[in-house]
Amino acid sequence: MSGGLDVLALKKDDVTKMLAAGTHVGAGNCHFQMLGYVFKNRHDMCVIDIKKTWEKLLLAARVIASIENPADVCVISSRNFGQRAVLKFASHTGATPIAGRFTPGTFTNQIQAAFREPRLLVVTDPRADHQAIVESSYVNIPVISFCNTDSPTKYVDIAIPCNINTINSVGLMWWLLAREVKRMRGDISRITEWEIMPDLYFYREETKEEEEEATVPDVQPAADTYNAAPAVPDGFAAIEPAATAEPVSMLAPNSTFPAKEEWVATETTTAGADWGADGNADWGASDTVVDWAA
């Protein structure tokens, strides 16, 4: 697909990256439809032609760049090696990622909430992602796939020959594909190097992250530094706040109402009087007889 143009030709730096990642290392067996991409056969493996890998990579990048809406490109990886690469590819190119288990009926069952209608499908492994490839054949969706020498190519329209069994090879191929797509769209220039490193697309195991966290020592502050008073610089004495006098209370204004009368009892002559005196008096006695019947 380079057409003999120097701009699209395979660069020395890209060849070095592909050889260092082991992209050319194929499987021991070879599928009959992948024989055209094998450069040499060995007793334990097949060597993939890197030049043909680059040509098919450019073809796939042109197909992806021709999609008007980037979200109509669906990238899938059910294997752990390609999940991080798929997510990074989607973030850089605007594609729709499906990382992890592919739900059956995503392309055919319109009832479920995860139903999608993409225009193009890009998968990492045709054997692991066979469910998505089969469903795409039902609804006439073209498929681009990274294929090893022993991978089945049924329902695959564009097969990119490479090693899909190692972490570095899978991450590098997704990085190269994302870079070529952005270059063909005009987002980045071919003169300058892309600032995104290929390591960002590589899968990282959890055990390695835990080991890196364990190697970092936890620095604990000294115990006496929590309640320590702030130090006063030399030549400056601690300034104590001056005691402030209490505010003088305001006097109440003179009232215009008349003075209240004091209800205190005054001394009288009867102060010493004995109310119980004249105890012999008969209160019910009467000298006159009253005739109540009259």
Side-chain angles (χ1 to χ4, degrees), residues 176-194:
L176 290 173
L177 184 60
R179 187 190 66 177
E180 292 302 320
V181 169
K182 293 182 70 66
R183 284 180 175 178
M184 291 184 179
R185 287 177 178 174
D187 297 338
I188 59 176
S189 176
R190 291 185 178 273
I191 301 175
T192 59
E193 189 68 21
W194 194 23

Side-chain angles (χ1 to χ4, degrees), residues 10 26 33 47 57 61 78 81 100 107 117-118 121-122 134 136 147 157 181 190 198 218 276 279 290:
L10 183 60
Q33 291 182 340
V47 180
L57 185 71
S78 60
F81 290 175
F107 299 152
E117 292 180 311
L121 187 66
V122 185
V134 170
S136 65
C147 297
D157 298 287
V181 169
R190 291 185 178 273
D218 296 336
V290 180

Side-chain angles (χ1 to χ4, degrees), residues 139-153:
V139 292
N140 297 327
I141 299 176
V143 178
I144 299 175
S145 176
F146 296 101
C147 297
N148 207 334
T149 56
D150 60 345
S151 299
T153 57

Side-chain angles (χ1 to χ4, degrees), residues 61-257:
R62 290 189 62 179
V63 173
I64 296 175
S66 63
I67 303 298
E68 298 177 357
N69 185 11
D72 289 340
V73 180
C74 185
V75 290
I76 298 176
S77 177
S78 60
R79 297 178 58 185
N80 295 333
F81 290 175
Q83 291 182 8
R84 184 177 184 182
V86 161
L87 295 175
K88 296 300 180 181
F89 180 88
S91 64
H92 291 151
T93 60
T96 302
I98 300 180
R101 181 180 179 273
F102 178 81
T103 304
T106 302
F107 299 152
T108 57
N109 189 2
Q110 300 180 2
I111 299 177
Q112 62 175 323
F115 176 74
R116 292 183 177 88
E117 292 180 311
R119 294 185 58 188
L120 183 63
L121 187 66
V122 185
V123 299
T124 304
D125 187 358
R127 182 173 284 108
D129 303 323
H130 65 93
Q131 181 65 32
I133 296 177
V134 170
E135 289 191 9
S136 65
S137 65
Y138 296 157
V139 292
N140 297 327
I141 299 176
V143 178
I144 299 175
S145 176
F146 296 101
C147 297
N148 207 334
T149 56
D150 60 345
S151 299
T153 57
K154 189 176 182 179
Y155 303 128
V156 176
D157 298 287
I158 299 177
I160 304 175
C162 62
N163 183 10
I164 59 175
N165 296 328
T166 59
I167 298 175
N168 298 337
S169 178
V170 172
L172 180 64
M173 293 305 297
W174 277 106
W175 180 81
L176 290 173
L177 184 60
R179 187 190 66 177
E180 292 302 320
V181 169
K182 293 182 70 66
R183 284 180 175 178
M184 291 184 179
R185 287 177 178 174
D187 297 338
I188 59 176
S189 176
R190 291 185 178 273
I191 301 175
T192 59
E193 189 68 21
W194 194 23
E195 65 275 6
I196 304 299
M197 301 299 294
D199 301 347
L200 191 64
Y201 283 67
F202 293 169
Y203 170 75
R204 296 187 62 184
E205 298 179 0
E206 297 180 357
T207 55
K208 293 183 178 180
E209 296 179 355
E210 294 175 357
E211 291 175 0
E212 292 178 0
E213 294 177 358
T215 54
V216 178
D218 296 336
V219 180
Q220 298 293 339
D224 55 349
T225 59
Y226 284 101
N227 300 323
V232 180
D234 298 338
F236 296 91
I239 301 175
E240 297 181 357
T244 57
E246 296 182 358
V248 180
S249 59
M250 299 180 62
L251 298 177
N254 297 328
S255 177
T256 57
F257 293 95

